[in-house]
Amino acid sequence: ARWAAKHVVALGAARRCQVALAYAIGVAEPVAVQVETFGTAQGFTDVTIARALREVFDFRPRAITEALALDSPIYRPTAAYGHFGREPFTERRAGRELAFFPWERTDRLDELGSALGTAPGG
């Protein structure tokens, strides 16, 4: 949810954004994707932003795990100094490429901009 909200702010669609995901047992897709921009949306409704996020992000738990490489052991760096607001980076360990803080990336701005009908930063 943070990863998606960061994209909304980085795109300039809102100055503040909170994304909430709701799941039901046995259902992979979230039953609800709610966006709250606290009145800071720039020409979009919260509902429109939520629809665009559903188009761009696959919010199924396994898809999130794969997209953010959450099955990799990155405990020590995330336990020290918190795990939000850090610069994402990759590191090679034991012949494996590990992604650290991938939820801080804004790598889907073009897709979100297309879904909202705007360009990144505008």
Side-chain angles (χ1 to χ4, degrees):
R2 176 181 172 80
W3 185 35
K6 281 190 61 122
H7 279 76
V8 172
V9 173
L11 185 69
R15 287 190 310 279
R16 291 179 61 201
C17 183
Q18 176 180 296
V19 175
L21 305 172
Y23 294 91
I25 295 172
V27 180
E29 291 284 338
V31 294
V33 175
Q34 184 179 5
V35 171
E36 174 63 58
T37 59
F38 308 96
T40 68
Q42 305 294 306
F44 303 101
T45 66
D46 292 353
V47 172
T48 301
I49 294 170
R51 270 194 217 115
L53 290 176
R54 276 188 178 263
E55 282 182 42
V56 174
F57 292 90
D58 186 346
F59 288 120
R60 295 174 301 159
R62 184 72 210 162
I64 293 168
T65 300
E66 290 172 1
L68 299 177
L70 297 178
D71 56 355
S72 300
I74 57 170
Y75 307 116
R76 184 171 288 154
T78 57
Y81 307 110
H83 56 275
F84 291 133
R86 307 271 302 272
E87 284 296 316
F89 68 94
T90 58
E91 192 174 282
R92 193 153 190 81
R93 287 189 188 166
R96 233 177 128 185
E97 193 76 22
L98 297 178
F100 294 88
F101 314 110
W103 49 85
E104 298 294 338
R105 296 186 317 235
T106 52
D107 54 349
R108 297 188 180 179
L109 290 177
D110 291 335
E111 294 95 330
L112 183 58
S114 293
L116 286 171
T118 186

